[in-house]
Amino acid sequence: MSLSTQFSANKKRVGIWMLPILLLTLVWACSGEEGKGVDDPQFCKCIQVTDKLNKFSAELLERQATEKDVKTMKKLKGARDKECTRYYKMSGEDMLKRKESCK
């Protein structure tokens, strides 16, 4: 068997095995995150800080705010802005998927 025919035979064997591997890779890549929550610890931090801010704001509706309350509110807003900046333009559907993994 000559070198060129041996190379051609090896090439065919590799080609036969590459097709299923490529198809499996394509299926895996296209499966995505549909129907599942997305594990995003940064988003969970954003949710926690936002919840704290919302609870504190609700408390302030029940009573008169003090200077300490103003400082706390600024601190909570700053923390929210820091943790949530990359999520401001995210769709509600994507947020709900991410929130599922935070529970």
Side-chain angles (χ1 to χ4, degrees):
M1 185 184 260
S2 73
L3 188 59
S4 65
T5 55
Q6 186 179 9
F7 178 74
S8 180
N10 284 339
K11 189 172 153 185
K12 283 183 183 179
R13 274 189 247 141
V14 170
I16 291 171
W17 286 104
M18 288 303 292
L19 182 61
I21 291 171
L22 289 173
L23 288 175
L24 286 173
T25 303
L26 181 64
V27 169
W28 176 72
C30 292
S31 66
E33 300 166 344
E34 200 169 306
K36 297 184 261 179
V38 180
D39 188 24
D40 187 353
Q42 181 70 31
F43 185 78
C44 296
K45 288 179 187 177
C46 172
I47 293 293
Q48 290 172 347
V49 171
T50 302
D51 285 345
K52 286 180 185 178
L53 177 62
N54 290 340
K55 287 177 185 176
F56 189 73
S57 296
E59 287 177 24
L60 289 181
L61 292 175
E62 302 291 322
R63 61 182 172 83
Q64 185 69 30
T66 64
E67 284 295 319
K68 183 180 177 185
D69 293 333
V70 172
K71 290 178 183 178
T72 302
M73 181 67 88
K74 285 182 181 180
K75 181 180 173 185
L76 288 171
K77 282 183 178 181
R80 183 208 47 203
D81 291 344
K82 177 185 173 196
E83 300 295 337
C84 301
T85 301
R86 59 187 251 205
Y87 306 109
Y88 286 143
K89 294 184 181 183
M90 184 179 285
S91 72
E93 185 178 316
D94 288 339
M95 285 186 181
L96 289 175
K97 284 181 184 177
R98 289 176 192 265
K99 189 173 182 180
E100 286 177 14
S101 68
C102 295
K103 295 178 182 177

